[in-house]
Amino acid sequence: MHATIHHSTTASKAAVAQFPPLEHVTSPTVTTEQAGYYLNRRPQTMRVWACRDGSGPIRPIRINGRLAWPVAELRRVLGVA
């Protein structure tokens, strides 16, 4: 008798990258994916906010053409000490 293992898409979604709690982040900025995770937004939404100045609660800074989201601003918006 053979056991059959079924993999669901739900299990695959649960394997999405996890980030440390915002209180434990020590770097001054985070990536777009990480900022989206903390704000419960998709990375593409974060990119739209970056393109449309003032459309989101946080403005990223650009470092060598890449977006960097200030951790202090994320904490302010989320009310995290």
Side-chain angles (χ1 to χ4, degrees), residues 19 29-51 60-62 65-70 74:
F19 297 105
T29 61
V30 294
T31 65
T32 298
E33 289 75 19
Q34 197 168 354
Y37 172 81
Y38 293 127
L39 294 173
N40 197 28
R41 297 291 180 263
R42 292 185 178 185
Q44 188 59 32
T45 300
M46 305 300 291
R47 292 183 192 100
V48 169
W49 288 355
C51 289
I61 57 175
R62 286 180 170 76
R66 296 189 182 256
L67 297 175
W69 300 84
L74 288 168

Side-chain angles (χ1 to χ4, degrees), residues 2-80:
H2 296 284
T4 304
I5 299 174
H6 296 282
H7 295 284
S8 68
T9 57
T10 307
S12 298
K13 290 179 183 178
V16 173
Q18 292 294 314
F19 297 105
L22 192 55
E23 303 87 32
H24 297 241
V25 176
T26 57
S27 64
T29 61
V30 294
T31 65
T32 298
E33 289 75 19
Q34 197 168 354
Y37 172 81
Y38 293 127
L39 294 173
N40 197 28
R41 297 291 180 263
R42 292 185 178 185
Q44 188 59 32
T45 300
M46 305 300 291
R47 292 183 192 100
V48 169
W49 288 355
C51 289
R52 298 180 186 166
D53 289 333
S55 69
I58 298 175
R59 295 182 74 187
I61 57 175
R62 286 180 170 76
I63 301 173
N64 293 329
R66 296 189 182 256
L67 297 175
W69 300 84
V71 171
E73 287 297 304
L74 288 168
R75 288 182 176 144
R76 180 188 61 79
V77 167
L78 295 172
V80 175

